[in-house]
């Protein structure tokens, strides 16, 4: 199902006889994980290790009057009970702002709340004991006195003058505001039909199979802290931990072995994790913190929770003249550290209208504080909001002028030969493929036949709908994302490869693996470029002492940035090997090649020397090498995109579903995605990334929502009441590809990790409205629960 | 999410279990399949001093037909109800209902006795035993008691069982001539507790109901045997009569509001279920549409 648009020129370094690129090969870590030999932080046991449990505020906003832990401290197994005030001696507070997000403000946040708790679930004391159970027993005997304060929960009134200001030193509850005005919106609106809608997005969260987990081990003798943590960004954790504990980075080692899912949840610095590092330093022993499910719901970052007024202008011929949005989001009491909680709203402004040629675009986004759990970046940051608003508006415009949803897109999507170009918000596009993707989608779903089927069923009172959503996706971010704003978050990645004494390859990379297949794609690239079989490539990730410095795996950057570093490192090692082989074999590097673990003649393929023989000579008989040759069987390369701030990808999704207008229940029947992530390293990994992403988008569309009451209590913090999408409700998801490699790297790979999440909810919402067309009902709120649908239909 | 410390006793017989319950009173909890009890303990919503594990009591297992009564042992697991030929023949409503109970891992452990004694108003089996006019058999220090299902459920997680009694079996009349069943529930995900559900048992003769028992669940603090069914018995079921019955049903129900649905939505869905149930049992699809609106 792949349409390839090859780069001009000859064979690349990847087009080799035994290349793994573009092939579905099994992940090297699969057997280990399936045999239960994974090494998750929760598995880790260290001598003298203690467990920490956090007493958490039951109020959304409260003054901490007193914490009496006398009884609890005397209980069996209890090692220490530590308040925020006591922990302050070891760790400094932080403020989650970035300088390139002009005007973004936040207040100092402590590892454990000092004097005041600002959301239900914020830690107010730590109980350290010999086991988690003993700590939980002791926690029941702590008496904490609170004075409940007014909780600010509704983002719509957070900025009212009458509303209490959460952090008085900030002056108001506005964390960030951005406006944008491109083209001439007012003039363009004059000659257009205008449609408006309020789009409402439920607050939800990323539910990882493995919760957040950390073991911090302060070794006083070495004056060194080892942090074992399931994180997406080990070097970022190293930097931040050192900064706030008063250490040099060299005094902190972060080890990240297996991670049971992240989705952006594990790319942030959480207060309870910082407290765990600090407790280890304070108590001079290893401390383990593993969030339980209830804590995860109350403290893992939440996301979305936007209310966005959207407006579109359209002419009778289908030309879209204007996009306009006014977005409002509530992020909790603090901007998250260090990536900040303004990024999602900022992305919404960047991305609305992005697939279309429309030059007139006006936007405002406001980010406000409230007394709920913190919000921050979760898979596809901002994209689902921008895509749902844009595509919802496009469908409304199509309905207004009586045009088919496909036709209006065909008339307004940026032409495939218009690149490079930029969007009204200034996003630079290198090469996208909206029209090729649309054409492929229509063919895969057999659009016309589906419309005929829909009409036939409608006559029998069966209400099915088709929804389409085009999208663009930010991948391979350069320093433009965080570095320019002052965050010590690397946008470059490094890979070191070396040939061992038996001709196998050891590869260390700064990207991380959380289940998406970073280890596999790295091994595929290194094996292909070197000419070594994958079973001889061993990849090491997630250890700040033992990998090059780099950003990690987030923002769909692992394959595109870390993959290119792997390619360049393998190329350098390959050249070193060929130079050496030429000297040994009295040939020239150009006459030789490496294929299937052997040096061969490039011309006739005749075998010359196995790699293990070359390694034997280099390591054990260097005396036999020609004079003046110093073999270098290790090479390191780094990569960062410089030309484009982001490698934009694009794609399109479609949903086919049925709505029961009597019950309000939606049955998903089929979902299609066409996606263009450039070079595909492993088709199965890419497809499963997209499917997983789609499922999270479908969760947002129909199921997932953190339900808060008016006092700021999260009322569904468990897996029975917070509904994650389950396999039984998921449709088959067909995936196709268009391939437009980026020219910024030799690899040509762009990211694919967030494409599915970006557009799935928009496709479903459009399909539900399409199904309900006979009822004259338009719904612009997700999740589309039976209650929402029945209410909109006037059934209840 | 670690349970508070508790003692554990594995009962060796029903008599032994009753002795343990007598000794510990309401400080003891009976452990059957553990599918509701263990999560509640791990969340520290419940902290019993002692668990009396009845899992090893073979005398509480098994499904048998005695005359015109189907006897289902309290420890019969959901998966056994799903696969039992006796259930399929004599009380297929239980089989149909169990397919909606959670997921295979839970059905492999959960028991009918545990479900009935737990008395979650949103669970399927309590409504089924109402519709089936079953009898709950319990044993206590004073011997055996037989409680009609209609008298058994007293409120949210409340039953006619006293702390020193053990639910030992369920007796279900075997399905006779002309008996038909209907089971449907609305949940946002398969396997979740229902937003509203209906377990129905009817006798259909010559195109009308000569009996109709409607066991609604997730519509109040306990499963409800709807009196509105009476309007449809021995009557010619027209859309108008059905509308009358659904209106009576809406009056009769007192549903709670929660995160999934308002009370109004539950009343609405109960009416939809009643229409669909009548249409299915009478094989008259046109009834499903109800009165036009």
């Amino acid at each position: 199902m792949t349409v390839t648009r090859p780069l001009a020129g000859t064979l690349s370094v990847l087009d080799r006889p035994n290349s793994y690129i573009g092939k579905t090969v099994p992940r090297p870590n699969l057997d280990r994980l399936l045999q239960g030999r994974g090494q998750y932080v929760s598995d880790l046991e260290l001598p003298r290790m203690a467990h920490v449990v956090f007493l958490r505020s039951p109020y959304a906003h409260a003054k901490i009057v007193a914490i009496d832990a006398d009884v609890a401290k005397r209980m069996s197994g209890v090692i220490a009970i530590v308040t925020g005030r006591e922990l302050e001696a070891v760790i400094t507070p932080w403020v989650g702002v970035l300088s390139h997000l002009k005007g973004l403000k936040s207040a100092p946040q402590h590892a454990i709340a000092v004097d005041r708790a600002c959301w239900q679930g914020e830690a107010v004391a730590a109980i350290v004991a010999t086991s988690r159970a003993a700590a939980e027993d002791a926690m029941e005997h702590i008496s904490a006195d609170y004075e409940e304060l007014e909780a600010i929960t509704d983002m719509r009134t957070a900025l009212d003058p009458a509303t209490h200001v959460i952090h008085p030193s900030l002056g108001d509850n506005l964390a960030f505001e951005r406006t944008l005005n491109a083209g001439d919106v007012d003039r363009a609106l004059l000659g257009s039909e205008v449609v408006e809608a309020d789009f409402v997005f439920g607050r939800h969260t990323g539910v990882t199979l493995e919760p957040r987990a950390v073991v911090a081990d302060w070794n006083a003798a070495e004056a060194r802290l080892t942090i074992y943590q399931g994180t997406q960004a080990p070097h970022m954790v190293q930097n931040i931990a050192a900064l706030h504990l008063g250490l040099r980075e060299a005094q902190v080692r972060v080890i990240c072995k297996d991670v049971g899912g992240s989705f952006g949840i594990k790319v942030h610095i959480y207060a309870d994790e910082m407290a765990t590092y600090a407790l280890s330093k304070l108590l001079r022993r290893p401390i383990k913190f593993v969030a339980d499910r209830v804590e995860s719901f109350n403290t893992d970052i939440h996301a979305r929770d936007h209310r966005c007024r959207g407006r579109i202008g359209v002419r009778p011929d289908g030309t879209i003249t204007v996009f306009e949005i006014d977005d409002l989001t509530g992020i909790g009491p603090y901007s998250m550290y260090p990536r900040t909680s303004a990024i999602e709203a900022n992305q919404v402004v960047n991305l609305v209208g992005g697939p279309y040629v429309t030059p007139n675009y006006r936007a405002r986004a406001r980010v406000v504080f409230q007394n709920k759990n913190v919000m921050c970046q979760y898979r596809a940051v901002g994209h689902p909001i921008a895509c749902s608003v844009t595509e919802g508006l496009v469908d409304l415009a199509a309905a207004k002028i009586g045009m088919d949803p496909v036709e209006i897109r065909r008339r307004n999507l940026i032409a495939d030969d218009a690149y490079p170009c930029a969007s009204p918000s200034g996003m630079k596009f290198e090469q996208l493929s909206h029209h090729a993707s649309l054409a492929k989608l229509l063919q895969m779903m057999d659009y016309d036949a589906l419309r005929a089927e829909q009409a036939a069923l409608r006559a029998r009172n069966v209400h099915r709908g088709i929804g389409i959503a085009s999208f663009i996706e930010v991948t391979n971010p350069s320093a433009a994302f965080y570095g320019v704003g002052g965050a010590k978050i690397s946008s470059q990645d490094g890979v070191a490869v070396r040939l061992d004494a038996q001709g196998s390859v050891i590869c260390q990379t700064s990207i991380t693996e959380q289940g998406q297949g970073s280890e596999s794609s790295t091994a595929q690239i290194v094996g292909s470029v070197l000419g070594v079989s994958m079973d001889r490539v061993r990849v090491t990730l997630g250890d700040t002492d033992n990998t090059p410095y780099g950003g990690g795996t987030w923002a769909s950057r692992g394959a595109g940035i870390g993959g290119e570093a792997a390619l360049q490192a393998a190329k350098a090692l390959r050249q070193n090997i060929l130079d050496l082989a030429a000297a040994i074999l009295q040939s020239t590097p150009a006459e030789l090649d490496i294929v299937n673990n052997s040096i061969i003649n490039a011309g006739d393929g005749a075998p010359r020397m196995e790699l293990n023989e070359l390694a034997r000579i280099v390591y054990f008989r260097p005396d036999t090498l020609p004079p003046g040759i110093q073999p270098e069987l290790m090479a390191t390369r780094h990569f960062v995109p410089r030309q484009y701030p982001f490698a934009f990808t694009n794609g399109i999704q479609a949903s086919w579903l049925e709505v029961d207008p009597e019950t309000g229940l939606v049955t998903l029947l089929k979902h299609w995605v066409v996606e263009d992530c450039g070079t595909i390293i492993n088709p199965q990994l890419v497809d499963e990334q997209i499917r997983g992403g789609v499922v999270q988008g479908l969760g947002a569309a129909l199921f997932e929502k953190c339900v808060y009451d008016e006092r700021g209590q999260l009322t569904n913090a468990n897996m029975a009441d917070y509904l994650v999408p389950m396999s039984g409700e998921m449709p088959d998801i067909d995936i196709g590809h268009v391939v437009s490699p980026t020219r910024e790297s030799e690899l040509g790979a762009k990211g694919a990790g967030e494409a599915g999440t970006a557009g799935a909810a928009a496709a479903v919402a459009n399909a539900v409205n399409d199904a309900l067309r006979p009822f004259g009902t338009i719904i612009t709120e997700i999740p589309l629960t039976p209650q929402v649908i029945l209410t909109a239909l006037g059934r209840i | 999410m670690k349970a508070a410390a508790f003692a554990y006793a594995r009962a060796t017989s029903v008599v032994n279990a009753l002795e343990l319950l007598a000794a510990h009173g309401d400080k003891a909890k009976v452990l059957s399949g553990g599918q509701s009890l263990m999560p509640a303990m791990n969340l520290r919503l419940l902290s019993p001093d002692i668990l009396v594990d009845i899992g090893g009591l073979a005398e509480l297992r098994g499904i048998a037909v005695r005359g015109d009564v189907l006897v289902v042992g309290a420890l019969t697991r959901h998966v056994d109800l799903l696969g039992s030929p006796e259930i399929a023949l004599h009380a297929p409503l239980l089989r149909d209902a169990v397919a909606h109970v959670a997921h295979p891992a839970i059905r492999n452990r959960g028991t009918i006795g545990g479900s009935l004694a737990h008395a979650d108003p949103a669970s399927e089996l309590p409504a089924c035993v109402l519709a089936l006019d079953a009898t709950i058999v319990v044993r206590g220090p004073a011997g055996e008691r037989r409680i009609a299902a209609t008298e058994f459920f007293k409120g949210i997680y409340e039953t006619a069982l006293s702390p020193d009694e053990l639910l030992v079996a369920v007796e279900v009349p075997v399905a006779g001539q002309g008996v038909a069943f209907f089971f449907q529930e609305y949940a946002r995900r398969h396997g979740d507790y229902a937003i509203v559900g209906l377990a129905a048992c009817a006798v259909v003769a010559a195109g009308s109901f000569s009996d109709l028992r409607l066991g609604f669940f997730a519509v109040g603090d306990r499963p409800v045997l709807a009196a509105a069914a009476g309007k449809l018995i021995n009557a010619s079921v027209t859309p108008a009569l059905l509308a009358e019955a659904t209106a009576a049903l809406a009056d009769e129900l007192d549903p709670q509001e929660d995160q999934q649905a308002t009370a109004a939505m539950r009343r609405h869905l109960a009416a939809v279920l009643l229409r669909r149930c009548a249409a299915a049992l009478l094989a008259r699809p046109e009834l499903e549409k109800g009165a036009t609106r």
Side-chain angles (χ1 to χ4, degrees):
Chain A
M1 294 305 256
T2 301
V3 180
T4 305
R5 297 143 53 99
L7 290 172
T10 53
L11 286 179
S12 81
V13 68
L14 299 170
D15 298 320
R16 296 175 44 74
N18 58 344
S19 174
Y20 294 104
I21 305 302
K23 292 191 180 140
T24 291
V25 291
R27 297 157 53 171
N29 57 8
L30 220 51
D31 285 346
R32 188 169 57 78
L33 296 174
L34 291 175
Q35 289 179 29
R37 301 305 298 264
Q39 291 178 292
Y40 298 91
V41 173
S42 0
D43 297 328
L44 186 66
E45 295 291 340
L46 295 177
R48 296 180 65 248
M49 188 175 81
H51 298 257
V52 62
V53 164
F54 293 98
L55 177 69
R56 296 181 180 279
S57 169
Y59 299 108
H61 198 190
K63 196 172 156 218
I64 305 163
V65 178
I67 293 174
D68 179 356
D70 286 351
V71 176
K73 276 179 179 165
R74 291 196 301 272
M75 286 177 66
S76 154
V78 174
I79 293 164
I81 295 177
V82 181
T83 63
R85 187 67 81 196
E86 289 160 340
L87 204 63
E88 261 189 325
V90 197
I91 190 162
T92 56
W94 53 88
V95 181
V97 295
L98 286 169
S99 62
H100 68 310
L101 297 167
K102 297 274 182 290
L104 171 61
K105 59 186 194 251
S106 187
Q109 186 181 358
H110 296 268
I112 296 178
V114 175
D115 295 337
R116 186 169 66 122
C118 287
W119 83 90
Q120 179 227 351
E122 184 173 9
V124 300
I127 301 99
V128 181
T130 50
S131 72
R132 169 120 196 164
E136 288 191 17
D137 284 348
M139 186 161 68
E140 293 191 334
H141 292 88
I142 298 179
S143 75
D145 279 350
Y146 300 92
E147 181 186 318
E148 195 175 356
L149 303 171
E150 185 189 346
I152 311 308
T153 55
D154 189 342
M155 66 169 97
R156 289 170 293 186
T157 54
L159 297 177
D160 291 355
T163 299
H164 175 84
V165 174
I166 295 175
H167 304 293
S169 64
L170 300 181
D172 57 30
N173 289 323
L174 182 68
F176 178 66
E177 176 165 10
R178 179 182 169 195
T179 56
L180 182 94
N181 203 342
D184 191 339
V185 168
D186 292 325
R187 211 175 100 194
L189 282 172
L190 284 177
S192 306
E193 300 264 23
V194 177
V195 196
E196 293 186 342
D198 285 312
F199 295 86
V200 180
F201 300 86
R203 181 183 258 256
H204 59 106
T205 185
V207 179
T208 57
L209 206 53
E210 182 201 19
R212 289 186 297 111
V214 57
V215 172
D217 184 10
W218 171 251
N219 183 328
E222 282 188 311
R224 207 154 189 250
L225 178 69
T226 304
I227 296 171
Y228 304 87
Q229 184 168 340
T231 174
Q232 299 173 242
H235 284 100
M236 182 195 85
V237 171
Q238 177 191 42
N239 169 265
I240 303 273
L243 179 65
H244 293 279
L245 292 167
L247 302 172
R248 283 173 289 110
E249 286 190 20
Q251 289 178 278
V252 178
R253 178 183 180 187
V254 178
I255 297 175
C256 172
K257 294 190 174 178
D258 291 309
V259 182
S262 297
F263 318 120
I265 299 300
K266 296 174 185 169
V267 77
H268 311 293
I269 297 292
Y270 289 87
D272 45 23
E273 292 165 0
M274 292 281 263
T276 307
Y277 315 152
L279 286 166
S280 178
K281 192 149 181 279
L282 186 74
L283 302 172
R284 297 160 72 100
R285 63 192 300 163
I287 310 280
K288 179 188 262 191
F289 168 63
V290 180
D292 68 23
R293 248 297 125 217
V294 176
E295 293 184 289
S296 298
F297 277 116
N298 279 298
T299 60
D300 285 6
I301 57 110
H302 293 175
R304 319 300 190 231
D305 206 7
H306 286 243
R307 306 183 74 91
C308 187
R309 179 127 189 99
R311 197 201 280 202
I312 189 168
V314 64
R315 289 208 204 100
D317 67 355
T319 305
I320 298 171
T321 54
V322 167
F323 283 103
E324 184 172 10
I325 60 159
D326 188 1
D327 183 47
L328 178 65
T329 179
I331 54 160
Y334 298 103
S335 171
M336 195 70 181
Y337 190 57
R339 292 168 190 248
T340 86
S341 306
I343 296 282
E344 180 150 274
N346 199 53
Q347 289 277 59
V348 173
V349 173
N350 283 342
L351 298 175
V352 162
Y356 300 99
V357 293
T358 314
N360 307 302
Y361 174 41
R362 186 157 57 201
R364 175 172 77 154
R366 286 172 302 161
V367 177
V368 302
F369 294 115
Q370 51 183 181
N371 293 112
K372 295 181 181 175
N373 183 25
V374 287
M375 288 223 311
C376 201
Q377 282 79 287
Y378 162 57
R379 195 176 198 172
V381 190
H383 293 67
I385 312 292
C387 183
S388 292
V389 170
T390 303
E391 295 301 280
L393 288 172
V394 169
D395 267 22
L396 287 174
K400 179 91 176 175
I401 59 169
M403 186 176 278
D404 185 271
V406 167
E407 187 54 30
I408 193 168
R409 286 174 173 81
R410 206 178 264 139
R411 291 185 188 200
N412 290 280
L413 286 166
I414 301 171
D416 289 358
D417 61 1
Y419 301 95
C421 63
S423 76
S425 63
M427 299 294 107
K428 287 158 71 181
F429 303 134
E430 182 194 8
Q431 177 66 57
L432 302 179
S433 58
H434 288 299
H435 289 269
S437 298
L438 173 62
K440 186 166 180 57
L441 179 86
L442 297 178
Q443 171 214 327
M444 281 168 64
M445 66 192 291
D446 200 351
Y447 182 76
D448 294 335
L450 213 55
R451 281 281 179 223
E453 185 181 342
Q454 177 188 33
L457 287 169
R458 201 168 263 171
R460 288 164 38 202
N461 218 23
V462 174
H463 299 283
R464 292 193 178 178
I466 299 170
I468 290 176
S470 285
F471 63 91
I472 52 174
E473 184 199 350
V474 174
T475 80
N476 294 3
S478 70
F481 233 175
Y482 296 113
V484 299
K488 303 283 195 304
I489 301 169
S490 182
S491 54
Q492 62 88 58
D493 273 283
V495 172
V497 287
R498 75 171 195 262
L499 201 68
D500 80 359
Q502 290 191 324
S504 292
V505 178
I506 294 161
C507 168
Q508 296 152 309
T509 176
S510 60
I511 65 168
T512 53
E513 163 87 57
Q514 301 105 35
Q516 62 274 79
S518 305
E519 192 179 330
S520 178
S521 59
T522 303
Q524 282 180 263
I525 293 165
V526 169
S528 300
V529 174
L530 271 179
V532 169
S533 55
M534 263 182 79
D535 60 356
R536 294 207 189 181
V537 180
R538 179 169 180 76
V539 179
T540 299
L541 328 84
D543 182 348
T544 54
D545 268 10
N546 288 309
T547 65
Y549 200 92
T553 300
W554 40 270
S556 299
R557 66 188 302 285
I561 297 178
E564 177 67 6
L567 182 149
Q568 295 300 339
K571 239 176 101 176
L573 177 60
R574 175 186 156 77
Q575 192 57 52
N576 291 356
I577 291 170
L578 288 175
D579 288 349
L580 203 58
I584 294 169
L585 297 169
Q586 299 182 330
S587 178
T588 64
E591 289 174 300
L592 299 172
D593 195 0
I594 312 171
V595 172
N596 200 19
N597 310 309
S598 289
I599 313 285
I600 62 163
N601 280 334
D604 59 11
R608 297 297 304 273
M609 176 191 240
E610 296 205 350
L611 277 180
N612 62 355
E613 174 61 9
L614 179 132
R616 186 192 65 81
I617 293 169
V618 166
Y619 290 122
F620 307 119
R621 294 303 308 274
D623 56 310
T624 66
L625 291 171
I629 293 212
Q630 174 54 54
E632 291 293 349
L633 293 188
M634 181 163 182
T636 305
R637 289 293 181 273
H638 293 79
F639 177 71
V640 64
R642 299 284 294 278
Q643 196 184 348
Y644 284 90
F646 313 105
F648 269 95
T649 71
N650 68 281
I652 188 163
Q653 302 196 19
S655 169
W656 170 238
L657 52 73
E658 183 171 322
V659 182
D660 181 341
E662 287 299 315
T663 63
L665 289 164
V666 175
T667 306
L668 302 170
L669 300 169
K670 185 93 183 185
H671 201 94
W672 297 267
V673 183
V674 177
E675 203 267 355
D676 184 348
C677 62
T679 303
I680 294 171
I681 298 163
N682 185 325
Q684 187 178 40
L685 288 178
V686 169
D687 286 1
E688 296 312 326
Q689 275 290 304
I690 292 171
R691 285 199 179 92
V694 165
V695 167
Q696 283 181 311
L698 297 177
L702 298 181
F703 302 111
E704 297 186 59
K705 186 177 183 182
C706 299
V707 181
Y708 276 89
D709 68 15
E710 66 284 355
R711 289 177 64 197
Q713 299 284 319
L714 180 59
T715 58
N716 62 340
N718 63 71
M719 297 298 291
D721 295 322
Y722 182 93
L723 308 185
V724 295
M726 304 274 275
S727 56
E729 283 66 44
M730 292 301 102
D732 282 346
I733 302 166
D734 276 3
I735 294 164
H737 300 279
V738 174
V739 177
S740 314
T742 172
R743 290 163 194 258
E744 236 198 308
S745 68
E746 209 168 332
L747 181 62
K750 302 184 248 187
E754 301 168 278
T757 313
V764 166
N766 282 350
V768 165
N769 283 325
D770 188 48
L772 296 181
R773 217 166 289 282
F775 302 90
T777 303
I778 296 290
I779 309 175
T780 51
E781 175 180 353
I782 58 171
L784 286 152
T785 64
Q787 179 86 43
V788 166
I789 291 174
L790 290 174
T791 304
L793 286 170
R795 292 288 197 277
I796 53 176
Chain B
M1 292 175 78
K2 306 285 182 196
F6 57 89
Y8 170 89
R10 188 159 172 89
T12 54
S13 64
V14 169
V15 171
N16 176 231
L18 292 174
E19 285 165 2
L20 288 162
L21 292 178
H24 296 282
D26 59 8
K27 297 207 168 10
K29 270 281 176 191
V30 175
L31 174 63
S32 179
Q35 297 306 292
S36 299
L37 180 60
M38 297 318 296
M41 287 174 62
N42 285 340
L43 287 163
R44 299 199 177 203
L45 298 172
L46 283 178
S47 297
D49 287 358
I50 181 169
L51 285 189
V52 177
D53 182 357
I54 59 169
L57 304 185
E59 53 195 299
L60 298 184
R61 292 193 186 286
I63 299 166
V65 181
R66 289 186 202 141
D68 55 1
V69 172
L70 183 68
V71 182
V72 183
L75 280 184
T76 304
R77 299 191 192 280
H78 301 327
V79 65
D80 299 329
L81 295 176
L82 210 50
S84 156
E86 290 87 359
I87 297 288
L89 187 63
H90 301 298
L93 185 66
L94 292 174
R95 177 201 58 195
D96 296 348
V98 163
H100 294 265
V101 177
H103 305 282
I106 291 168
R107 298 202 287 258
N108 287 340
R109 302 289 311 169
T111 66
I112 188 169
S115 174
L116 298 177
H118 185 53
D120 189 312
S123 69
E124 292 82 357
L125 294 176
C128 289
V129 297
L130 279 189
L132 290 168
D133 202 11
T135 302
I136 315 291
V137 184
V138 308
R139 228 179 283 165
E144 194 169 279
R145 277 207 298 154
R146 310 164 71 74
I147 308 166
T150 46
E151 300 299 317
F152 186 72
F153 301 101
K154 299 294 186 190
I156 297 179
Y157 310 133
E158 272 184 56
T159 67
L161 268 179
S162 50
D164 57 0
E165 286 180 319
L166 192 64
L167 193 161
V168 295
V170 185
E171 293 178 353
V172 181
V174 303
Q177 195 67 32
V179 172
F181 301 101
F182 175 90
F183 187 93
Q184 211 171 89
E185 69 175 44
Y186 299 130
R188 287 171 62 192
R189 302 179 308 182
H190 185 89
D192 283 349
Y193 281 113
I195 300 172
V196 176
L198 170 59
C201 177
V203 182
V204 180
S208 70
F209 294 115
S210 54
D211 192 15
L212 179 63
R213 295 175 67 87
L214 301 172
F216 281 95
F217 53 103
V219 290
D221 69 350
R222 67 194 85 177
V224 172
L225 189 68
K231 292 196 178 292
L232 303 177
I233 295 173
N234 296 327
S236 164
V237 179
T238 59
L241 183 66
L242 198 51
E244 210 178 291
T246 55
L249 179 68
D251 287 344
E252 179 182 356
L253 298 180
D254 183 19
Q256 72 284 16
E257 167 160 9
D258 62 17
Q259 289 173 359
Q260 305 301 340
T262 58
M265 176 166 152
R266 286 202 155 84
R267 285 198 175 90
H268 166 78
L269 290 179
V272 172
L273 274 173
L274 177 51
R275 285 199 298 272
R276 289 183 178 179
C277 171
L281 291 176
L282 298 175
R284 287 172 55 197
E286 82 281 2
L287 288 176
E288 194 180 314
K289 291 196 194 78
T292 50
R293 46 191 307 152

